[in-house]
Amino acid sequence: MVEEGRLIRVSGALVLAGTPMGQPGDASPRLRQALASADIVAAEDTRRARSLAAALDVTIGGRLVSYYDHVEAQRTPQLVEAIDDGATVLLITDAGMPSVSDPGYRLVAACAAAGLKVTCLPGPSAVTTALALSALPADRFCFDGFAPRKPGARGEWLATLRTEPRTVVFFESPHRLAQTLTDAAQVLGAERRAAVCRELTKTYEEVRRGGLGELAQWAADGVKGEITVVISGASPIDDAADLESVAAQAAQLAEAGTRLKEACEQAAAGTPFSRREVYEAVLATRREQQSP
């Protein structure tokens, strides 16, 4: 319950709270009060929770328990039971909002299914922060969590973005960033605009903006920290960009020395056509030209 901007202790409720991404000063007064008053604080990392409380000069008043990926299934029924018995459970993760690529969804779903109260203390979000800093259109966007780790799955995912008109935001590991950007440049086009946001709100915050090809070259030297990537939406497809013209472009690239499959992939980037469709169209054109 909220009254005059304050969090009033609510019996029998799950309280989701956004936590600072790097600067403790970004914590809201309501988060401070919730840390002190909740019966149970469920934290992704209890050590970080204690460090955050110390930085905020707050004493965690209730029981502190861990709630991370490997214990979610076991811990969820226990927390639901506690809430059902009248406890206020505060759920926090290491940074940002619970459930957004962090633990929390399972507990929220369980509380909703049980008819228990769920409320939220808004807070920092890497998704909206990166979007605002990207200098890319933010009126419509989609969030895709973490980019797929395996090359095949990543390629399939990137292919779905060829014609996605909305700005796309996703998280990536610094160890895979260069390869993901390289793959994105090949599938979406080296000139597709993007931004790589690193260590948001922290001492070494950095935002790199440019084409995917340019950013892939920059990332090849190695990047550290928490990474959020923003890629611009696809431009409207020109009606003239039919399969025949795209195949002709691929054929020209192949004649200039590019391997045919790579040429088809480059020509297909940013169009509604797959590499295979372009490849087959090029072969069909060649057969027509060779027939008597």
Side-chain angles (χ1 to χ4, degrees):
M1 181 184 301
V2 178
E3 180 180 290
E4 297 181 353
R6 298 191 300 120
L7 172 71
I8 305 302
R9 191 172 181 278
V10 180
S11 296
L14 171 63
V15 181
L16 309 174
T19 53
M21 294 182 288
Q23 300 292 336
D26 290 339
S28 70
R30 295 175 67 203
L31 174 60
R32 289 179 167 87
Q33 185 179 11
L35 285 168
S37 63
D39 298 303
I40 300 173
V41 176
E44 184 178 9
D45 186 324
T46 55
R47 292 169 299 180
R48 291 198 181 190
R50 289 192 182 95
S51 295
L52 174 62
L56 299 178
D57 195 24
V58 171
T59 299
I60 295 177
R63 182 162 57 96
L64 178 62
V65 300
S66 60
Y67 191 81
Y68 55 95
D69 293 342
H70 298 300
V71 301
E72 272 191 282
Q74 169 192 351
R75 195 80 77 193
T76 293
Q78 300 170 359
L79 294 176
V80 169
E81 182 178 358
I83 294 169
D84 194 33
D85 287 342
T88 296
V89 173
L90 174 68
L91 178 62
I92 60 174
T93 58
D94 292 346
M97 184 61 65
S99 295
V100 182
S101 288
D102 274 334
Y105 165 75
R106 190 191 299 264
L107 182 55
V108 173
C111 286
L116 300 175
K117 182 177 179 60
V118 180
T119 188
C120 184
L121 306 184
S125 167
V127 176
T128 52
T129 301
L131 185 66
L133 292 174
S134 69
L136 296 173
D139 53 336
R140 297 178 65 226
F141 73 95
C142 58
F143 173 58
D144 264 4
F146 277 90
R149 294 187 179 189
K150 296 184 178 180
R154 186 164 58 242
E156 292 176 1
W157 166 66
L158 287 168
T160 68
L161 304 184
R162 281 196 182 105
T163 57
E164 171 56 67
R166 297 170 296 179
T167 299
V168 180
V169 185
F170 63 93
F171 297 147
E172 184 53 289
S173 159
H175 308 296
R176 293 189 297 273
L177 178 65
Q179 188 59 59
T180 295
L181 291 174
T182 298
D183 293 346
Q186 291 177 348
V187 176
L188 305 177
E191 300 305 314
R192 185 92 161 244
R193 302 298 295 175
V196 177
C197 304
R198 186 178 73 85
E199 293 291 88
L200 289 171
T201 77
K202 301 177 185 176
T203 302
Y204 297 104
E205 176 180 284
E206 179 180 20
V207 179
R208 286 273 181 164
R209 307 176 184 89
L212 284 168
E214 174 189 348
L215 292 173
Q217 292 180 352
W218 162 74
D221 293 332
V223 178
K224 296 180 179 180
E226 301 284 340
I227 305 293
T228 305
V229 181
V230 187
I231 299 180
S232 65
S235 300
I237 300 298
D238 189 336
D239 291 339
D242 56 19
L243 182 56
E244 184 177 346
S245 62
V246 174
Q249 181 184 357
Q252 290 177 353
L253 290 171
E255 290 173 4
T258 304
R259 291 179 61 249
L260 181 56
K261 288 187 177 181
E262 293 179 1
C264 292
E265 186 168 17
Q266 291 179 28
T271 78
F273 308 112
S274 67
R275 182 186 69 176
R276 179 177 293 278
E277 289 174 315
V278 177
Y279 182 78
E280 292 176 350
V282 172
L283 295 184
T285 300
R286 287 181 177 180
R287 286 194 294 269
E288 290 177 4
Q289 294 173 344
Q290 293 171 359
S291 62

